[in-house]
mmCIF file of all heavy atoms in Angstrom:
data_model
loop_
_atom_site.group_PDB
_atom_site.id
_atom_site.type_symbol
_atom_site.label_atom_id
_atom_site.label_comp_id
_atom_site.label_asym_id
_atom_site.label_seq_id
_atom_site.Cartn_x
_atom_site.Cartn_y
_atom_site.Cartn_z
ATOM 1 N N LEU A 211 14.700 13.118 -16.872
ATOM 2 C CA LEU A 211 16.020 13.255 -17.468
ATOM 3 C C LEU A 211 15.916 13.471 -18.980
ATOM 4 O O LEU A 211 14.937 13.090 -19.618
ATOM 5 C CB LEU A 211 16.855 12.012 -17.177
ATOM 6 C CG LEU A 211 17.122 11.697 -15.692
ATOM 7 C CD1 LEU A 211 17.843 10.366 -15.563
ATOM 8 C CD2 LEU A 211 17.931 12.813 -15.036
ATOM 9 N N ASP A 212 16.961 14.080 -19.517
ATOM 10 C CA ASP A 212 17.094 14.266 -20.969
ATOM 11 C C ASP A 212 15.897 15.002 -21.570
ATOM 12 O O ASP A 212 15.392 14.650 -22.638
ATOM 13 C CB ASP A 212 17.265 12.912 -21.664
ATOM 14 C CG ASP A 212 18.482 12.152 -21.159
ATOM 15 O OD1 ASP A 212 19.499 12.805 -20.884
ATOM 16 O OD2 ASP A 212 18.397 10.918 -21.014
ATOM 17 N N THR A 213 15.439 16.019 -20.878
ATOM 18 C CA THR A 213 14.318 16.823 -21.397
ATOM 19 C C THR A 213 14.718 18.289 -21.567
ATOM 20 O O THR A 213 13.865 19.155 -21.674
ATOM 21 C CB THR A 213 13.107 16.739 -20.450
ATOM 22 O OG1 THR A 213 13.493 17.214 -19.144
ATOM 23 C CG2 THR A 213 12.600 15.310 -20.343
ATOM 24 N N ASP A 214 16.040 18.557 -21.585
ATOM 25 C CA ASP A 214 16.508 19.940 -21.715
ATOM 26 C C ASP A 214 16.112 20.508 -23.074
ATOM 27 O O ASP A 214 15.946 19.772 -24.054
ATOM 28 C CB ASP A 214 18.029 20.009 -21.576
ATOM 29 C CG ASP A 214 18.521 19.397 -20.275
ATOM 30 O OD1 ASP A 214 17.674 19.021 -19.445
ATOM 31 O OD2 ASP A 214 19.748 19.289 -20.096
ATOM 32 N N GLU A 215 15.957 21.821 -23.118
ATOM 33 C CA GLU A 215 15.710 22.505 -24.377
ATOM 34 C C GLU A 215 16.574 23.754 -24.442
ATOM 35 O O GLU A 215 17.086 24.226 -23.421
ATOM 36 C CB GLU A 215 14.227 22.866 -24.520
ATOM 37 C CG GLU A 215 13.693 23.799 -23.459
ATOM 38 C CD GLU A 215 12.211 24.077 -23.641
ATOM 39 O OE1 GLU A 215 11.586 23.429 -24.491
ATOM 40 O OE2 GLU A 215 11.681 24.947 -22.920
ATOM 41 N N GLU A 216 16.750 24.280 -25.611
ATOM 42 C CA GLU A 216 17.626 25.429 -25.789
ATOM 43 C C GLU A 216 17.031 26.665 -25.128
ATOM 44 O O GLU A 216 15.830 26.902 -25.180
ATOM 45 C CB GLU A 216 17.863 25.691 -27.277
ATOM 46 C CG GLU A 216 18.668 24.618 -27.983
ATOM 47 C CD GLU A 216 18.969 24.986 -29.423
ATOM 48 O OE1 GLU A 216 18.598 26.118 -29.824
ATOM 49 O OE2 GLU A 216 19.567 24.162 -30.135
ATOM 50 N N CYS A 217 17.911 27.451 -24.525
ATOM 51 C CA CYS A 217 17.484 28.705 -23.894
ATOM 52 C C CYS A 217 18.686 29.633 -23.840
ATOM 53 O O CYS A 217 19.800 29.205 -23.519
ATOM 54 C CB CYS A 217 16.929 28.449 -22.489
ATOM 55 S SG CYS A 217 16.242 29.930 -21.699
ATOM 56 N N SER A 218 18.474 30.884 -24.139
ATOM 57 C CA SER A 218 19.569 31.854 -24.168
ATOM 58 C C SER A 218 19.414 32.947 -23.119
ATOM 59 O O SER A 218 20.188 33.903 -23.110
ATOM 60 C CB SER A 218 19.644 32.493 -25.561
ATOM 61 O OG SER A 218 18.413 33.138 -25.879
ATOM 62 N N GLN A 219 18.441 32.800 -22.234
ATOM 63 C CA GLN A 219 18.213 33.833 -21.231
ATOM 64 C C GLN A 219 19.179 33.666 -20.058
ATOM 65 O O GLN A 219 19.570 32.537 -19.729
ATOM 66 C CB GLN A 219 16.775 33.779 -20.727
ATOM 67 C CG GLN A 219 15.742 34.034 -21.803
ATOM 68 C CD GLN A 219 14.427 34.498 -21.217
ATOM 69 O OE1 GLN A 219 14.387 35.185 -20.207
ATOM 70 N NE2 GLN A 219 13.341 34.117 -21.858
ATOM 71 N N PRO A 220 19.562 34.758 -19.413
ATOM 72 C CA PRO A 220 20.424 34.634 -18.227
ATOM 73 C C PRO A 220 19.653 34.028 -17.056
ATOM 74 O O PRO A 220 18.479 34.330 -16.850
ATOM 75 C CB PRO A 220 20.834 36.083 -17.927
ATOM 76 C CG PRO A 220 19.758 36.919 -18.554
ATOM 77 C CD PRO A 220 19.292 36.167 -19.760
ATOM 78 N N SER A 221 20.321 33.156 -16.323
ATOM 79 C CA SER A 221 19.700 32.562 -15.143
ATOM 80 C C SER A 221 19.569 33.610 -14.048
ATOM 81 O O SER A 221 20.421 34.496 -13.905
ATOM 82 C CB SER A 221 20.534 31.385 -14.636
ATOM 83 O OG SER A 221 20.506 30.307 -15.541
ATOM 84 N N ARG A 222 18.499 33.487 -13.274
ATOM 85 C CA ARG A 222 18.256 34.424 -12.173
ATOM 86 C C ARG A 222 18.129 33.653 -10.873
ATOM 87 O O ARG A 222 17.664 32.512 -10.856
ATOM 88 C CB ARG A 222 16.975 35.220 -12.415
ATOM 89 C CG ARG A 222 16.928 35.952 -13.744
ATOM 90 C CD ARG A 222 15.697 36.825 -13.840
ATOM 91 N NE ARG A 222 15.445 37.285 -15.189
ATOM 92 C CZ ARG A 222 14.442 38.071 -15.525
ATOM 93 N NH1 ARG A 222 13.580 38.479 -14.607
ATOM 94 N NH2 ARG A 222 14.265 38.444 -16.787
ATOM 95 N N LEU A 223 18.543 34.285 -9.791
ATOM 96 C CA LEU A 223 18.424 33.659 -8.478
ATOM 97 C C LEU A 223 16.959 33.577 -8.082
ATOM 98 O O LEU A 223 16.202 34.531 -8.254
ATOM 99 C CB LEU A 223 19.201 34.465 -7.436
ATOM 100 C CG LEU A 223 19.262 33.848 -6.029
ATOM 101 C CD1 LEU A 223 20.109 32.580 -6.033
ATOM 102 C CD2 LEU A 223 19.811 34.857 -5.024
ATOM 103 N N LEU A 224 16.545 32.430 -7.557
ATOM 104 C CA LEU A 224 15.157 32.217 -7.154
ATOM 105 C C LEU A 224 15.136 31.509 -5.819
ATOM 106 O O LEU A 224 15.849 30.516 -5.614
ATOM 107 C CB LEU A 224 14.422 31.373 -8.201
ATOM 108 C CG LEU A 224 12.970 30.994 -7.886
ATOM 109 C CD1 LEU A 224 12.085 32.239 -7.880
ATOM 110 C CD2 LEU A 224 12.439 29.983 -8.888
ATOM 111 N N ILE A 225 14.349 32.010 -4.903
ATOM 112 C CA ILE A 225 14.126 31.330 -3.628
ATOM 113 C C ILE A 225 12.969 30.366 -3.828
ATOM 114 O O ILE A 225 11.898 30.751 -4.305
ATOM 115 C CB ILE A 225 13.834 32.342 -2.508
ATOM 116 C CG1 ILE A 225 15.043 33.270 -2.320
ATOM 117 C CG2 ILE A 225 13.511 31.629 -1.204
ATOM 118 C CD1 ILE A 225 14.839 34.365 -1.312
ATOM 119 N N ARG A 226 13.165 29.103 -3.464
ATOM 120 C CA ARG A 226 12.194 28.050 -3.791
ATOM 121 C C ARG A 226 10.784 28.374 -3.314
ATOM 122 O O ARG A 226 9.805 28.076 -3.989
ATOM 123 C CB ARG A 226 12.620 26.720 -3.154
ATOM 124 C CG ARG A 226 13.809 26.061 -3.784
ATOM 125 C CD ARG A 226 13.989 24.657 -3.226
ATOM 126 N NE ARG A 226 14.219 24.654 -1.796
ATOM 127 C CZ ARG A 226 13.349 24.220 -0.892
ATOM 128 N NH1 ARG A 226 12.182 23.766 -1.266
ATOM 129 N NH2 ARG A 226 13.643 24.237 0.390
ATOM 130 N N THR A 227 10.658 28.965 -2.136
ATOM 131 C CA THR A 227 9.346 29.207 -1.540
ATOM 132 C C THR A 227 8.792 30.588 -1.850
ATOM 133 O O THR A 227 7.763 30.975 -1.296
ATOM 134 C CB THR A 227 9.429 29.025 -0.013
ATOM 135 O OG1 THR A 227 10.461 29.885 0.509
ATOM 136 C CG2 THR A 227 9.771 27.580 0.337
ATOM 137 N N ALA A 228 9.452 31.336 -2.732
ATOM 138 C CA ALA A 228 8.990 32.687 -3.055
ATOM 139 C C ALA A 228 7.705 32.623 -3.870
ATOM 140 O O ALA A 228 7.418 31.641 -4.557
ATOM 141 C CB ALA A 228 10.074 33.440 -3.817
ATOM 142 N N SER A 229 6.923 33.695 -3.821
ATOM 143 C CA SER A 229 5.641 33.734 -4.529
ATOM 144 C C SER A 229 5.814 33.785 -6.039
ATOM 145 O O SER A 229 4.875 33.497 -6.776
ATOM 146 C CB SER A 229 4.819 34.939 -4.056
ATOM 147 O OG SER A 229 5.526 36.151 -4.306
ATOM 148 N N ASN A 230 7.011 34.161 -6.519
ATOM 149 C CA ASN A 230 7.220 34.232 -7.971
ATOM 150 C C ASN A 230 7.873 32.975 -8.527
ATOM 151 O O ASN A 230 8.364 32.964 -9.649
ATOM 152 C CB ASN A 230 8.068 35.453 -8.332
ATOM 153 C CG ASN A 230 9.477 35.377 -7.774
ATOM 154 O OD1 ASN A 230 9.764 34.590 -6.874
ATOM 155 N ND2 ASN A 230 10.372 36.206 -8.286
ATOM 156 N N ALA A 231 7.886 31.891 -7.739
ATOM 157 C CA ALA A 231 8.505 30.649 -8.203
ATOM 158 C C ALA A 231 7.599 29.878 -9.159
ATOM 159 O O ALA A 231 8.082 29.009 -9.893
ATOM 160 C CB ALA A 231 8.871 29.760 -7.014
ATOM 161 N N TYR A 232 6.300 30.187 -9.163
ATOM 162 C CA TYR A 232 5.374 29.413 -10.005
ATOM 163 C C TYR A 232 4.123 30.227 -10.260
ATOM 164 O O TYR A 232 3.412 30.609 -9.329
ATOM 165 C CB TYR A 232 5.005 28.105 -9.288
ATOM 166 C CG TYR A 232 4.205 27.120 -10.119
ATOM 167 C CD1 TYR A 232 4.825 26.283 -11.022
ATOM 168 C CD2 TYR A 232 2.822 27.015 -9.971
ATOM 169 C CE1 TYR A 232 4.100 25.356 -11.773
ATOM 170 C CE2 TYR A 232 2.088 26.103 -10.712
ATOM 171 C CZ TYR A 232 2.734 25.270 -11.609
ATOM 172 O OH TYR A 232 2.008 24.361 -12.342
ATOM 173 N N PHE A 233 3.873 30.526 -11.517
ATOM 174 C CA PHE A 233 2.644 31.203 -11.918
ATOM 175 C C PHE A 233 1.880 30.276 -12.858
ATOM 176 O O PHE A 233 2.248 30.121 -14.032
ATOM 177 C CB PHE A 233 2.947 32.524 -12.628
ATOM 178 C CG PHE A 233 3.566 33.580 -11.748
ATOM 179 C CD1 PHE A 233 4.900 33.918 -11.887
ATOM 180 C CD2 PHE A 233 2.805 34.233 -10.791
ATOM 181 C CE1 PHE A 233 5.473 34.892 -11.081
ATOM 182 C CE2 PHE A 233 3.372 35.203 -9.979
ATOM 183 C CZ PHE A 233 4.702 35.536 -10.122
ATOM 184 N N ALA A 234 0.842 29.641 -12.339
ATOM 185 C CA ALA A 234 0.050 28.730 -13.166
ATOM 186 C C ALA A 234 -0.747 29.509 -14.199
ATOM 187 O O ALA A 234 -1.262 30.595 -13.912
ATOM 188 C CB ALA A 234 -0.893 27.921 -12.279
ATOM 189 N N GLN A 235 -0.840 28.966 -15.407
ATOM 190 C CA GLN A 235 -1.676 29.555 -16.447
ATOM 191 C C GLN A 235 -2.938 28.704 -16.538
ATOM 192 O O GLN A 235 -2.926 27.586 -17.059
ATOM 193 C CB GLN A 235 -0.940 29.595 -17.778
ATOM 194 C CG GLN A 235 0.200 30.594 -17.770
ATOM 195 C CD GLN A 235 0.720 30.911 -19.158
ATOM 196 O OE1 GLN A 235 0.250 30.375 -20.143
ATOM 197 N NE2 GLN A 235 1.705 31.785 -19.235
ATOM 198 N N VAL A 236 -4.008 29.253 -15.985
ATOM 199 C CA VAL A 236 -5.284 28.547 -15.880
ATOM 200 C C VAL A 236 -6.292 29.209 -16.802
ATOM 201 O O VAL A 236 -6.458 30.432 -16.777
ATOM 202 C CB VAL A 236 -5.800 28.556 -14.425
ATOM 203 C CG1 VAL A 236 -7.142 27.844 -14.334
ATOM 204 C CG2 VAL A 236 -4.791 27.891 -13.502
ATOM 205 N N VAL A 237 -6.949 28.405 -17.615
ATOM 206 C CA VAL A 237 -8.013 28.888 -18.500
ATOM 207 C C VAL A 237 -9.335 28.382 -17.939
ATOM 208 O O VAL A 237 -9.458 27.207 -17.583
ATOM 209 C CB VAL A 237 -7.819 28.382 -19.943
ATOM 210 C CG1 VAL A 237 -8.929 28.895 -20.843
ATOM 211 C CG2 VAL A 237 -6.458 28.811 -20.475
ATOM 212 N N SER A 238 -10.318 29.258 -17.832
ATOM 213 C CA SER A 238 -11.596 28.868 -17.235
ATOM 214 C C SER A 238 -12.750 29.328 -18.111
ATOM 215 O O SER A 238 -12.617 30.260 -18.909
ATOM 216 C CB SER A 238 -11.743 29.457 -15.829
ATOM 217 O OG SER A 238 -11.804 30.875 -15.880
ATOM 218 N N ALA A 239 -13.882 28.668 -17.937
ATOM 219 C CA ALA A 239 -15.094 29.031 -18.666
ATOM 220 C C ALA A 239 -16.292 28.535 -17.879
ATOM 221 O O ALA A 239 -16.217 27.527 -17.161
ATOM 222 C CB ALA A 239 -15.100 28.440 -20.069
ATOM 223 N N LEU A 240 -17.404 29.261 -18.008
ATOM 224 C CA LEU A 240 -18.661 28.816 -17.412
ATOM 225 C C LEU A 240 -19.357 27.873 -18.381
ATOM 226 O O LEU A 240 -19.342 28.092 -19.597
ATOM 227 C CB LEU A 240 -19.567 30.014 -17.109
ATOM 228 C CG LEU A 240 -19.037 31.079 -16.154
ATOM 229 C CD1 LEU A 240 -20.086 32.165 -15.948
ATOM 230 C CD2 LEU A 240 -18.627 30.473 -14.819
ATOM 231 N N SER A 241 -19.968 26.830 -17.846
ATOM 232 C CA SER A 241 -20.724 25.894 -18.680
ATOM 233 C C SER A 241 -22.070 26.526 -19.015
ATOM 234 O O SER A 241 -22.856 26.835 -18.119
ATOM 235 C CB SER A 241 -20.925 24.565 -17.947
ATOM 236 O OG SER A 241 -19.686 23.936 -17.726
ATOM 237 N N LEU A 242 -22.312 26.712 -20.302
ATOM 238 C CA LEU A 242 -23.503 27.423 -20.746
ATOM 239 C C LEU A 242 -24.390 26.509 -21.580
ATOM 240 O O LEU A 242 -23.923 25.533 -22.169
ATOM 241 C CB LEU A 242 -23.095 28.637 -21.586
ATOM 242 C CG LEU A 242 -22.175 29.642 -20.892
ATOM 243 C CD1 LEU A 242 -21.762 30.717 -21.875
ATOM 244 C CD2 LEU A 242 -22.849 30.249 -19.676
ATOM 245 N N PRO A 243 -25.667 26.833 -21.666
ATOM 246 C CA PRO A 243 -26.551 26.009 -22.495
ATOM 247 C C PRO A 243 -26.240 26.104 -23.977
ATOM 248 O O PRO A 243 -26.576 25.214 -24.735
ATOM 249 C CB PRO A 243 -27.947 26.566 -22.185
ATOM 250 C CG PRO A 243 -27.706 27.941 -21.640
ATOM 251 C CD PRO A 243 -26.398 27.875 -20.931
ATOM 252 N N ASP A 244 -25.590 27.194 -24.425
ATOM 253 C CA ASP A 244 -25.250 27.345 -25.836
ATOM 254 C C ASP A 244 -24.063 26.458 -26.173
ATOM 255 O O ASP A 244 -22.945 26.746 -25.792
ATOM 256 C CB ASP A 244 -24.905 28.806 -26.139
ATOM 257 C CG ASP A 244 -24.458 28.988 -27.578
ATOM 258 O OD1 ASP A 244 -24.786 28.124 -28.416
ATOM 259 O OD2 ASP A 244 -23.778 29.987 -27.849
ATOM 260 N N ARG A 245 -24.289 25.393 -26.875
ATOM 261 C CA ARG A 245 -23.229 24.459 -27.245
ATOM 262 C C ARG A 245 -22.976 24.459 -28.747
ATOM 263 O O ARG A 245 -22.352 23.552 -29.266
ATOM 264 C CB ARG A 245 -23.618 23.046 -26.812
ATOM 265 C CG ARG A 245 -23.741 22.872 -25.329
ATOM 266 C CD ARG A 245 -22.386 22.700 -24.699
ATOM 267 N NE ARG A 245 -22.501 22.364 -23.291
ATOM 268 C CZ ARG A 245 -21.494 22.018 -22.532
ATOM 269 N NH1 ARG A 245 -20.290 21.972 -23.033
ATOM 270 N NH2 ARG A 245 -21.664 21.727 -21.254
ATOM 271 N N GLY A 246 -23.458 25.462 -29.466
ATOM 272 C CA GLY A 246 -23.285 25.487 -30.902
ATOM 273 C C GLY A 246 -24.438 24.794 -31.592
ATOM 274 O O GLY A 246 -25.502 24.555 -31.027
ATOM 275 N N SER A 247 -24.251 24.439 -32.839
ATOM 276 C CA SER A 247 -25.315 23.828 -33.620
ATOM 277 C C SER A 247 -25.527 22.377 -33.202
ATOM 278 O O SER A 247 -24.723 21.787 -32.495
ATOM 279 C CB SER A 247 -24.955 23.896 -35.106
ATOM 280 O OG SER A 247 -23.837 23.064 -35.367
ATOM 281 N N ALA A 248 -26.620 21.808 -33.694
ATOM 282 C CA ALA A 248 -26.957 20.427 -33.338
ATOM 283 C C ALA A 248 -25.901 19.456 -33.829
ATOM 284 O O ALA A 248 -25.510 18.523 -33.115
ATOM 285 C CB ALA A 248 -28.333 20.073 -33.922
ATOM 286 N N VAL A 249 -25.388 19.661 -35.060
ATOM 287 C CA VAL A 249 -24.387 18.737 -35.581
ATOM 288 C C VAL A 249 -23.090 18.834 -34.778
ATOM 289 O O VAL A 249 -22.399 17.833 -34.552
ATOM 290 C CB VAL A 249 -24.135 19.001 -37.082
ATOM 291 C CG1 VAL A 249 -23.532 20.389 -37.315
ATOM 292 C CG2 VAL A 249 -23.224 17.927 -37.669
ATOM 293 N N GLU A 250 -22.734 20.045 -34.300
ATOM 294 C CA GLU A 250 -21.538 20.199 -33.477
ATOM 295 C C GLU A 250 -21.680 19.453 -32.160
ATOM 296 O O GLU A 250 -20.730 18.827 -31.675
ATOM 297 C CB GLU A 250 -21.263 21.683 -33.219
ATOM 298 C CG GLU A 250 -20.808 22.439 -34.450
ATOM 299 C CD GLU A 250 -20.753 23.929 -34.200
ATOM 300 O OE1 GLU A 250 -21.171 24.357 -33.101
ATOM 301 O OE2 GLU A 250 -20.322 24.670 -35.091
ATOM 302 N N ARG A 251 -22.878 19.501 -31.576
ATOM 303 C CA ARG A 251 -23.089 18.791 -30.312
ATOM 304 C C ARG A 251 -22.950 17.278 -30.501
ATOM 305 O O ARG A 251 -22.358 16.603 -29.676
ATOM 306 C CB ARG A 251 -24.476 19.141 -29.756
ATOM 307 C CG ARG A 251 -24.622 20.578 -29.289
ATOM 308 C CD ARG A 251 -25.849 20.741 -28.400
ATOM 309 N NE ARG A 251 -27.084 20.423 -29.106
ATOM 310 C CZ ARG A 251 -27.800 21.327 -29.767
ATOM 311 N NH1 ARG A 251 -27.389 22.580 -29.835
ATOM 312 N NH2 ARG A 251 -28.925 20.976 -30.365
ATOM 313 N N VAL A 252 -23.501 16.766 -31.592
ATOM 314 C CA VAL A 252 -23.423 15.327 -31.833
ATOM 315 C C VAL A 252 -21.983 14.904 -32.120
ATOM 316 O O VAL A 252 -21.516 13.881 -31.613
ATOM 317 C CB VAL A 252 -24.356 14.927 -32.995
ATOM 318 C CG1 VAL A 252 -24.159 13.456 -33.354
ATOM 319 C CG2 VAL A 252 -25.805 15.192 -32.626
ATOM 320 N N VAL A 253 -21.256 15.697 -32.911
ATOM 321 C CA VAL A 253 -19.860 15.374 -33.204
ATOM 322 C C VAL A 253 -19.031 15.386 -31.927
ATOM 323 O O VAL A 253 -18.167 14.519 -31.722
ATOM 324 C CB VAL A 253 -19.294 16.362 -34.247
ATOM 325 C CG1 VAL A 253 -17.771 16.272 -34.321
ATOM 326 C CG2 VAL A 253 -19.899 16.089 -35.607
#
Side-chain angles (χ1 to χ4, degrees):
L211 299 174
D212 301 323
T213 59
D214 304 354
E215 61 182 8
E216 292 185 4
C217 185
S218 59
Q219 298 202 33
S221 292
R222 305 186 194 181
L223 185 68
L224 177 67
I225 298 176
R226 288 189 299 110
T227 55
S229 60
N230 65 343
Y232 188 81
F233 293 108
Q235 290 195 359
V236 179
V237 180
S238 65
L240 300 182
S241 296
L242 302 175
D244 176 21
R245 296 280 187 172
S247 67
V249 64
E250 290 171 355
R251 292 196 298 269
V252 174
V253 166

